Amino acid sequence: MTITRQDADAGTDAGTDAVRALHGLEDSRSSVRLRAALAVGTTPDPRFVDKLVERCAVEPEFFVRDMLTWALTRHPLSVTLPVLLREVHAERTQARSQALHTLSKIGDPRAWPAITPALLSDADDEVARSAWRAAVVLVPEGEEPELATVLATQLGRGGRETQLSLSRALVALGEVIAPVLHSAATTAPDPRARAHALATRRLLRDPDTGFEYAIEEAKRVVALGGSGQEGQ
């Protein structure tokens, strides 16, 4: 095969563009970082993966992080998956959260063993929420009840956004969550957990119900000493 001067120049230009894009990921301007992530994803190269993952751990802008995730999904899974699986155990919370988010977007079932109970109950709400979303995407068929049991231990946790994320994750598992919600609604020692279980059950039965309405109604039921089972 004969390599022409034009081919060589094209290769040099591509290499220069790649270096420029990688440098752009660290620019102080978010618009430049966004364009750089787009460029890296548009022209995938396995050499970019480590840098993309490193940037995910420190990138402050949501839209840039989302573009970084997209860029990672454009690269060969054989390269990205090992790096992401390592990253879910990183010390930095954003590194764990973003790696989990990316794994949920990739959706490869080989990532399932990495979704441990420790991640599903991570002390950081963003990490836990990312783990919940990844778990419902990656859970193998038949293991949904076990996952529902683990997720139910987080009922009542955090503020509205965290609780809504957990409810959505549970509802995504379908009817298999009914027994664990019933148990939590009737026996959980924490009234917040009981109310959250009732609200989630309401969302399972009527997806059009707003979470705010469901949780406030559930709190009233719990405050009055009910379990939500009356009249059923």
Side-chain angles (χ1 to χ4, degrees), residues 129-195:
R129 291 171 64 186
S130 294
W132 301 338
R133 290 190 292 267
V136 299
V137 170
L138 299 170
V139 61
E141 185 176 357
E143 295 190 32
E144 295 90 348
E146 290 81 0
L147 175 58
T149 298
V150 176
L151 291 179
T153 65
Q154 304 302 298
L155 286 166
R157 170 180 175 164
R160 285 288 193 270
E161 287 301 315
T162 298
Q163 292 190 9
L164 176 57
S165 290
L166 181 59
S167 290
R168 285 174 171 167
L170 283 163
V171 169
L173 295 175
E175 288 295 333
V176 299
I177 70 172
V180 296
L181 292 180
H182 173 80
S183 176
T186 55
T187 65
D190 183 356
R192 282 170 52 89
R194 294 201 301 274

Side-chain angles (χ1 to χ4, degrees), residues 68-97:
L68 290 167
T69 286
W70 172 80
L72 282 166
T73 67
R74 297 269 296 159
H75 286 76
L77 189 59
S78 60
V79 180
T80 57
L81 189 59
V83 180
L84 291 169
L85 292 179
R86 182 177 69 243
E87 196 74 353
V88 300
H89 302 294
E91 182 177 351
R92 186 186 291 270
T93 56
Q94 184 172 302
R96 299 199 301 276
S97 176

Side-chain angles (χ1 to χ4, degrees), residues 15-85:
T16 302
D17 289 344
V19 171
R20 185 181 299 115
L22 290 177
H23 286 167
L25 292 176
E26 298 182 353
D27 195 276
S28 60
R29 295 162 293 180
S30 61
S31 60
V32 174
R33 299 198 303 275
L34 185 66
R35 289 196 300 271
L38 174 61
V40 172
T42 301
T43 310
D45 186 319
R47 294 173 298 175
F48 297 164
V49 169
D50 284 338
K51 185 63 176 180
L52 288 169
V53 172
E54 288 173 10
R55 188 63 207 175
C56 282
V58 297
E59 172 56 49
E61 297 293 333
F62 169 79
F63 292 110
V64 180
R65 291 199 303 273
D66 220 35
M67 188 65 76
L68 290 167
T69 286
W70 172 80
L72 282 166
T73 67
R74 297 269 296 159
H75 286 76
L77 189 59
S78 60
V79 180
T80 57
L81 189 59
V83 180
L84 291 169
L85 292 179

